[in-house]
């Protein structure tokens, strides 16, 4: 997890909801996961409908390292091998 990743995730969500970032809090521990909470301000009555499945998939894609993407591409091309 990095500042750059945090900024990309927040920008993606704010863009999807036509919102602006107000505040954020990041929690990182010894666990393999990080937690990001942020407040995004929207304009009343101007919140677009967002496909949450697509948004989640895009956030997941943002969190992948290039090595993860390479592994997925190789597995697709050559099949899964131990």
């Amino acid at each position: 997890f990095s500042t750059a990743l945090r900024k990309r995730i927040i920008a993606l969500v704010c863009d999807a909801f036509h919102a602006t970032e107000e505040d954020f809090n990041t929690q990182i521990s010894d666990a393999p996961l990080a937690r990001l909470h942020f407040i995004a301000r929207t304009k009343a009555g101007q919140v677009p409908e967002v496909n949450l499945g697509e948004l989640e998939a895009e956030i997941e894609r943002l969190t992948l390292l290039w090595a993860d993407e390479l592994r997925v591409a190789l597995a697709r091309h050559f099949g899964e091998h131990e």
Side-chain angles (χ1 to χ4, degrees):
F1 195 80
S2 67
T3 299
L5 177 58
R6 172 187 54 83
K7 288 180 177 181
R8 289 176 21 212
I9 291 170
I10 291 174
L12 176 70
V13 174
C14 285
D15 185 57
F17 286 97
H18 300 177
T20 57
E21 175 191 350
E22 292 294 318
D23 194 17
F24 72 90
N25 182 357
T26 305
Q27 295 175 335
I28 301 173
S29 68
D30 292 335
L33 301 175
R35 179 176 292 175
L36 172 61
H37 290 197
F38 64 94
I39 298 170
R41 184 167 308 280
T42 60
K43 293 182 181 176
Q46 296 183 15
V47 180
E49 289 195 29
V50 175
N51 182 320
L52 296 180
E54 288 178 8
L55 183 60
E56 288 175 4
E58 183 62 18
I59 291 170
E60 181 180 353
R61 190 194 66 73
L62 287 176
T63 65
L64 293 177
L65 301 173
W66 74 268
D68 297 328
E69 293 182 28
L70 176 61
R71 185 175 54 251
V72 169
L74 290 172
R76 259 192 225 125
H77 185 74
F78 295 107
E80 293 285 338
H81 295 297
E82 291 293 320

